[in-house]
Amino acid sequence: DNSSFNVGVYQEKAEPELHLMSADTVYFTPSGGSGLIEYRLQFPNEGCEISVSSDAEWITDVDWSQEGKVVFNVEPVSINAQDEDIEKPVSRDGKIRIAYWEADLEVVIRQFFEEIQEEEQ
């Protein structure tokens, strides 16, 4: 029997995926400074672009022009020393969100208001 047949295979295109390659929380001292977030994009869609946003005005100069990297600055903390009796928060948090198609990542940017002092025994 020399019969032949055809088999059609259909594979759906994989959905884009974002993977965080660095820490999900980045810590800063009161003096601020520059930070780096690294990520990897898998299964990109033609015509889609990475978008990056921040929810805090003290996170500045957010740049994602290099593939797989987001560079940003954290402004120094300025605290009014006049209100000594008021309980001050220890830190402030902001977020940087990286989005692509329906995938997204959030990284917490945490800045401490005072230098961490190691207790002497």
Side-chain angles (χ1 to χ4, degrees), residues 86-115:
I86 297 173
E87 185 75 24
K88 293 185 190 73
V90 176
S91 63
R92 62 182 176 181
D93 284 5
K95 288 194 179 105
I96 290 180
R97 182 173 178 266
I98 303 168
Y100 183 90
W101 189 249
E102 293 176 358
D104 68 333
L105 297 170
E106 275 193 347
V107 177
V108 173
I109 310 303
R110 179 164 295 155
Q111 184 176 31
F112 293 99
F113 288 150
E114 292 180 18
E115 297 289 344

mmCIF file of all heavy atoms in Angstrom, residues 86-115:
data_model
loop_
_atom_site.group_PDB
_atom_site.id
_atom_site.type_symbol
_atom_site.label_atom_id
_atom_site.label_comp_id
_atom_site.label_asym_id
_atom_site.label_seq_id
_atom_site.Cartn_x
_atom_site.Cartn_y
_atom_site.Cartn_z
ATOM 1 N N ILE A 86 7.590 65.828 64.863
ATOM 2 C CA ILE A 86 6.726 65.024 63.986
ATOM 3 C C ILE A 86 7.448 63.743 63.589
ATOM 4 O O ILE A 86 8.620 63.772 63.203
ATOM 5 C CB ILE A 86 6.331 65.834 62.730
ATOM 6 C CG1 ILE A 86 5.506 67.058 63.158
ATOM 7 C CG2 ILE A 86 5.553 64.970 61.738
ATOM 8 C CD1 ILE A 86 5.200 68.018 62.029
ATOM 9 N N GLU A 87 6.744 62.646 63.708
ATOM 10 C CA GLU A 87 7.290 61.343 63.306
ATOM 11 C C GLU A 87 7.461 61.337 61.793
ATOM 12 O O GLU A 87 6.497 61.520 61.052
ATOM 13 C CB GLU A 87 6.316 60.236 63.731
ATOM 14 C CG GLU A 87 6.806 58.836 63.479
ATOM 15 C CD GLU A 87 7.865 58.374 64.456
ATOM 16 O OE1 GLU A 87 7.926 58.921 65.585
ATOM 17 O OE2 GLU A 87 8.616 57.466 64.098
ATOM 18 N N LYS A 88 8.681 61.156 61.338
ATOM 19 C CA LYS A 88 8.938 61.167 59.902
ATOM 20 C C LYS A 88 8.973 59.741 59.362
ATOM 21 O O LYS A 88 9.436 58.835 60.044
ATOM 22 C CB LYS A 88 10.278 61.844 59.616
ATOM 23 C CG LYS A 88 10.300 63.323 59.928
ATOM 24 C CD LYS A 88 11.622 63.921 59.495
ATOM 25 C CE LYS A 88 11.784 65.328 60.006
ATOM 26 N NZ LYS A 88 12.046 65.379 61.440
ATOM 27 N N PRO A 89 8.522 59.551 58.144
ATOM 28 C CA PRO A 89 8.660 58.221 57.553
ATOM 29 C C PRO A 89 10.142 57.899 57.358
ATOM 30 O O PRO A 89 10.975 58.791 57.255
ATOM 31 C CB PRO A 89 7.940 58.332 56.205
ATOM 32 C CG PRO A 89 7.817 59.797 55.938
ATOM 33 C CD PRO A 89 7.884 60.502 57.252
ATOM 34 N N VAL A 90 10.460 56.623 57.343
ATOM 35 C CA VAL A 90 11.840 56.166 57.219
ATOM 36 C C VAL A 90 12.303 56.242 55.765
ATOM 37 O O VAL A 90 13.460 56.495 55.481
ATOM 38 C CB VAL A 90 11.964 54.716 57.756
ATOM 39 C CG1 VAL A 90 13.361 54.168 57.544
ATOM 40 C CG2 VAL A 90 11.575 54.671 59.215
ATOM 41 N N SER A 91 11.368 56.016 54.835
ATOM 42 C CA SER A 91 11.744 55.982 53.418
ATOM 43 C C SER A 91 10.560 56.407 52.565
ATOM 44 O O SER A 91 9.444 56.551 53.048
ATOM 45 C CB SER A 91 12.184 54.570 53.025
ATOM 46 O OG SER A 91 11.102 53.660 53.172
ATOM 47 N N ARG A 92 10.839 56.589 51.291
ATOM 48 C CA ARG A 92 9.768 56.844 50.326
ATOM 49 C C ARG A 92 9.930 55.847 49.186
ATOM 50 O O ARG A 92 11.048 55.459 48.847
ATOM 51 C CB ARG A 92 9.807 58.284 49.812
ATOM 52 C CG ARG A 92 11.067 58.677 49.061
ATOM 53 C CD ARG A 92 11.008 60.127 48.647
ATOM 54 N NE ARG A 92 12.250 60.562 47.996
ATOM 55 C CZ ARG A 92 12.465 61.793 47.564
ATOM 56 N NH1 ARG A 92 11.523 62.712 47.692
ATOM 57 N NH2 ARG A 92 13.607 62.119 46.987
ATOM 58 N N ASP A 93 8.793 55.432 48.648
ATOM 59 C CA ASP A 93 8.792 54.457 47.562
ATOM 60 C C ASP A 93 8.196 55.060 46.303
ATOM 61 O O ASP A 93 7.211 55.797 46.359
ATOM 62 C CB ASP A 93 7.933 53.224 47.921
ATOM 63 C CG ASP A 93 8.627 52.302 48.906
ATOM 64 O OD1 ASP A 93 9.720 52.640 49.390
ATOM 65 O OD2 ASP A 93 8.065 51.223 49.183
ATOM 66 N N GLY A 94 8.808 54.731 45.196
ATOM 67 C CA GLY A 94 8.249 55.035 43.890
ATOM 68 C C GLY A 94 8.328 53.768 43.061
ATOM 69 O O GLY A 94 8.951 52.790 43.476
ATOM 70 N N LYS A 95 7.696 53.782 41.911
ATOM 71 C CA LYS A 95 7.733 52.598 41.050
ATOM 72 C C LYS A 95 8.130 53.004 39.640
ATOM 73 O O LYS A 95 7.751 54.063 39.158
ATOM 74 C CB LYS A 95 6.374 51.904 40.990
ATOM 75 C CG LYS A 95 6.008 51.185 42.261
ATOM 76 C CD LYS A 95 4.834 50.259 42.027
ATOM 77 C CE LYS A 95 4.486 49.513 43.286
ATOM 78 N NZ LYS A 95 3.292 49.999 43.931
ATOM 79 N N ILE A 96 8.877 52.111 39.004
ATOM 80 C CA ILE A 96 9.126 52.226 37.577
ATOM 81 C C ILE A 96 8.435 51.033 36.931
ATOM 82 O O ILE A 96 8.624 49.893 37.365
ATOM 83 C CB ILE A 96 10.633 52.246 37.258
ATOM 84 C CG1 ILE A 96 11.244 53.566 37.753
ATOM 85 C CG2 ILE A 96 10.863 52.076 35.758
ATOM 86 C CD1 ILE A 96 12.728 53.705 37.487
ATOM 87 N N ARG A 97 7.612 51.316 35.930
ATOM 88 C CA ARG A 97 6.854 50.267 35.246
ATOM 89 C C ARG A 97 7.377 50.132 33.823
ATOM 90 O O ARG A 97 7.497 51.120 33.107
ATOM 91 C CB ARG A 97 5.371 50.623 35.237
ATOM 92 C CG ARG A 97 4.492 49.573 34.597
ATOM 93 C CD ARG A 97 3.024 49.938 34.796
ATOM 94 N NE ARG A 97 2.187 48.955 34.154
ATOM 95 C CZ ARG A 97 1.707 49.071 32.922
ATOM 96 N NH1 ARG A 97 1.983 50.127 32.200
ATOM 97 N NH2 ARG A 97 0.947 48.129 32.421
ATOM 98 N N ILE A 98 7.691 48.903 33.451
ATOM 99 C CA ILE A 98 8.140 48.591 32.096
ATOM 100 C C ILE A 98 7.013 47.800 31.444
ATOM 101 O O ILE A 98 6.562 46.799 32.002
ATOM 102 C CB ILE A 98 9.432 47.743 32.122
ATOM 103 C CG1 ILE A 98 10.525 48.482 32.909
ATOM 104 C CG2 ILE A 98 9.901 47.424 30.709
ATOM 105 C CD1 ILE A 98 11.724 47.605 33.237
ATOM 106 N N ALA A 99 6.551 48.260 30.292
ATOM 107 C CA ALA A 99 5.423 47.589 29.642
ATOM 108 C C ALA A 99 5.745 47.307 28.175
ATOM 109 O O ALA A 99 6.441 48.071 27.514
ATOM 110 C CB ALA A 99 4.170 48.457 29.737
ATOM 111 N N TYR A 100 5.215 46.180 27.718
ATOM 112 C CA TYR A 100 5.354 45.804 26.314
ATOM 113 C C TYR A 100 4.156 44.950 25.965
ATOM 114 O O TYR A 100 3.943 43.899 26.588
ATOM 115 C CB TYR A 100 6.646 45.014 26.088
ATOM 116 C CG TYR A 100 6.877 44.652 24.634
ATOM 117 C CD1 TYR A 100 7.586 45.505 23.804
ATOM 118 C CD2 TYR A 100 6.365 43.480 24.091
ATOM 119 C CE1 TYR A 100 7.790 45.194 22.468
ATOM 120 C CE2 TYR A 100 6.568 43.154 22.762
ATOM 121 C CZ TYR A 100 7.278 44.010 21.954
ATOM 122 O OH TYR A 100 7.474 43.697 20.636
ATOM 123 N N TRP A 101 3.352 45.390 24.986
ATOM 124 C CA TRP A 101 2.169 44.646 24.593
ATOM 125 C C TRP A 101 1.304 44.440 25.819
ATOM 126 O O TRP A 101 0.946 45.401 26.473
ATOM 127 C CB TRP A 101 2.609 43.329 23.934
ATOM 128 C CG TRP A 101 1.510 42.529 23.283
ATOM 129 C CD1 TRP A 101 1.044 41.319 23.734
ATOM 130 C CD2 TRP A 101 0.771 42.805 22.096
ATOM 131 N NE1 TRP A 101 0.069 40.848 22.896
ATOM 132 C CE2 TRP A 101 -0.135 41.742 21.886
ATOM 133 C CE3 TRP A 101 0.777 43.861 21.217
ATOM 134 C CZ2 TRP A 101 -0.999 41.703 20.823
ATOM 135 C CZ3 TRP A 101 -0.094 43.817 20.145
ATOM 136 C CH2 TRP A 101 -0.970 42.752 19.959
ATOM 137 N N GLU A 102 1.031 43.198 26.230
ATOM 138 C CA GLU A 102 0.218 42.956 27.430
ATOM 139 C C GLU A 102 1.068 42.542 28.625
ATOM 140 O O GLU A 102 0.544 42.212 29.690
ATOM 141 C CB GLU A 102 -0.838 41.884 27.139
ATOM 142 C CG GLU A 102 -1.868 42.358 26.134
ATOM 143 C CD GLU A 102 -2.866 41.277 25.757
ATOM 144 O OE1 GLU A 102 -2.741 40.145 26.234
ATOM 145 O OE2 GLU A 102 -3.770 41.581 24.965
ATOM 146 N N ALA A 103 2.403 42.535 28.452
ATOM 147 C CA ALA A 103 3.302 42.155 29.543
ATOM 148 C C ALA A 103 3.818 43.414 30.235
ATOM 149 O O ALA A 103 4.040 44.427 29.592
ATOM 150 C CB ALA A 103 4.475 41.352 28.977
ATOM 151 N N ASP A 104 3.981 43.342 31.554
ATOM 152 C CA ASP A 104 4.593 44.466 32.248
ATOM 153 C C ASP A 104 5.321 44.004 33.507
ATOM 154 O O ASP A 104 5.063 42.928 34.025
ATOM 155 C CB ASP A 104 3.577 45.567 32.562
ATOM 156 C CG ASP A 104 2.549 45.141 33.589
ATOM 157 O OD1 ASP A 104 2.276 43.940 33.700
ATOM 158 O OD2 ASP A 104 2.023 46.014 34.291
ATOM 159 N N LEU A 105 6.251 44.849 33.953
ATOM 160 C CA LEU A 105 7.031 44.623 35.171
ATOM 161 C C LEU A 105 6.971 45.891 36.004
ATOM 162 O O LEU A 105 6.903 46.988 35.458
ATOM 163 C CB LEU A 105 8.513 44.387 34.831
ATOM 164 C CG LEU A 105 8.902 43.190 34.003
ATOM 165 C CD1 LEU A 105 10.367 43.317 33.595
ATOM 166 C CD2 LEU A 105 8.694 41.919 34.804
ATOM 167 N N GLU A 106 7.026 45.740 37.317
ATOM 168 C CA GLU A 106 7.148 46.902 38.190
ATOM 169 C C GLU A 106 8.343 46.695 39.109
ATOM 170 O O GLU A 106 8.529 45.618 39.661
ATOM 171 C CB GLU A 106 5.889 47.093 39.036
ATOM 172 C CG GLU A 106 4.826 47.863 38.314
ATOM 173 C CD GLU A 106 3.711 48.338 39.236
ATOM 174 O OE1 GLU A 106 3.630 47.881 40.383
ATOM 175 O OE2 GLU A 106 2.924 49.156 38.766
ATOM 176 N N VAL A 107 9.140 47.740 39.254
ATOM 177 C CA VAL A 107 10.286 47.719 40.153
ATOM 178 C C VAL A 107 10.079 48.837 41.167
ATOM 179 O O VAL A 107 9.758 49.970 40.801
ATOM 180 C CB VAL A 107 11.606 47.924 39.382
ATOM 181 C CG1 VAL A 107 12.790 47.979 40.331
ATOM 182 C CG2 VAL A 107 11.790 46.817 38.350
ATOM 183 N N VAL A 108 10.243 48.509 42.458
ATOM 184 C CA VAL A 108 10.097 49.496 43.526
ATOM 185 C C VAL A 108 11.434 50.218 43.703
ATOM 186 O O VAL A 108 12.482 49.581 43.770
ATOM 187 C CB VAL A 108 9.676 48.817 44.852
ATOM 188 C CG1 VAL A 108 9.687 49.820 46.004
ATOM 189 C CG2 VAL A 108 8.307 48.182 44.711
ATOM 190 N N ILE A 109 11.367 51.542 43.745
ATOM 191 C CA ILE A 109 12.535 52.366 44.027
ATOM 192 C C ILE A 109 12.331 52.911 45.441
ATOM 193 O O ILE A 109 11.390 53.670 45.676
ATOM 194 C CB ILE A 109 12.664 53.540 43.015
ATOM 195 C CG1 ILE A 109 12.549 53.034 41.567
ATOM 196 C CG2 ILE A 109 13.957 54.303 43.267
ATOM 197 C CD1 ILE A 109 13.545 51.965 41.172
ATOM 198 N N ARG A 110 13.180 52.489 46.390
ATOM 199 C CA ARG A 110 13.018 52.887 47.797
ATOM 200 C C ARG A 110 14.209 53.740 48.211
ATOM 201 O O ARG A 110 15.348 53.311 48.095
ATOM 202 C CB ARG A 110 12.916 51.656 48.691
ATOM 203 C CG ARG A 110 12.781 52.001 50.182
ATOM 204 C CD ARG A 110 12.310 50.812 50.975
ATOM 205 N NE ARG A 110 10.959 50.465 50.537
ATOM 206 C CZ ARG A 110 10.430 49.240 50.656
ATOM 207 N NH1 ARG A 110 11.120 48.256 51.179
ATOM 208 N NH2 ARG A 110 9.199 49.017 50.226
ATOM 209 N N GLN A 111 13.906 54.934 48.670
ATOM 210 C CA GLN A 111 14.956 55.845 49.121
ATOM 211 C C GLN A 111 14.779 56.111 50.604
ATOM 212 O O GLN A 111 13.723 56.538 51.052
ATOM 213 C CB GLN A 111 14.898 57.157 48.338
ATOM 214 C CG GLN A 111 16.034 58.093 48.704
ATOM 215 C CD GLN A 111 16.038 59.347 47.862
ATOM 216 O OE1 GLN A 111 14.992 59.824 47.433
ATOM 217 N NE2 GLN A 111 17.218 59.897 47.649
ATOM 218 N N PHE A 112 15.853 55.882 51.359
ATOM 219 C CA PHE A 112 15.826 56.144 52.798
ATOM 220 C C PHE A 112 16.066 57.620 53.057
ATOM 221 O O PHE A 112 16.805 58.278 52.330
ATOM 222 C CB PHE A 112 16.871 55.275 53.512
ATOM 223 C CG PHE A 112 16.527 53.822 53.457
ATOM 224 C CD1 PHE A 112 17.117 52.990 52.525
ATOM 225 C CD2 PHE A 112 15.565 53.294 54.304
ATOM 226 C CE1 PHE A 112 16.769 51.650 52.443
ATOM 227 C CE2 PHE A 112 15.211 51.947 54.238
ATOM 228 C CZ PHE A 112 15.814 51.131 53.302
ATOM 229 N N PHE A 113 15.418 58.146 54.113
ATOM 230 C CA PHE A 113 15.531 59.563 54.449
ATOM 231 C C PHE A 113 16.752 59.866 55.298
ATOM 232 O O PHE A 113 17.172 60.995 55.405
ATOM 233 C CB PHE A 113 14.273 60.051 55.169
ATOM 234 C CG PHE A 113 13.081 60.176 54.263
ATOM 235 C CD1 PHE A 113 11.809 59.987 54.739
ATOM 236 C CD2 PHE A 113 13.228 60.487 52.920
ATOM 237 C CE1 PHE A 113 10.692 60.123 53.911
ATOM 238 C CE2 PHE A 113 12.140 60.615 52.069
ATOM 239 C CZ PHE A 113 10.865 60.430 52.593
ATOM 240 N N GLU A 114 17.293 58.858 55.975
ATOM 241 C CA GLU A 114 18.473 59.069 56.792
ATOM 242 C C GLU A 114 19.463 57.955 56.510
ATOM 243 O O GLU A 114 19.073 56.842 56.183
ATOM 244 C CB GLU A 114 18.108 59.045 58.284
ATOM 245 C CG GLU A 114 17.246 60.232 58.699
ATOM 246 C CD GLU A 114 16.887 60.189 60.181
ATOM 247 O OE1 GLU A 114 17.551 59.461 60.934
ATOM 248 O OE2 GLU A 114 15.935 60.866 60.555
ATOM 249 N N GLU A 115 20.754 58.293 56.665
ATOM 250 C CA GLU A 115 21.783 57.261 56.507
ATOM 251 C C GLU A 115 21.536 56.196 57.577
ATOM 252 O O GLU A 115 21.200 56.525 58.726
ATOM 253 C CB GLU A 115 23.191 57.856 56.690
ATOM 254 C CG GLU A 115 23.544 58.900 55.655
ATOM 255 C CD GLU A 115 23.775 58.303 54.250
ATOM 256 O OE1 GLU A 115 23.958 57.079 54.126
ATOM 257 O OE2 GLU A 115 23.767 59.090 53.300
#
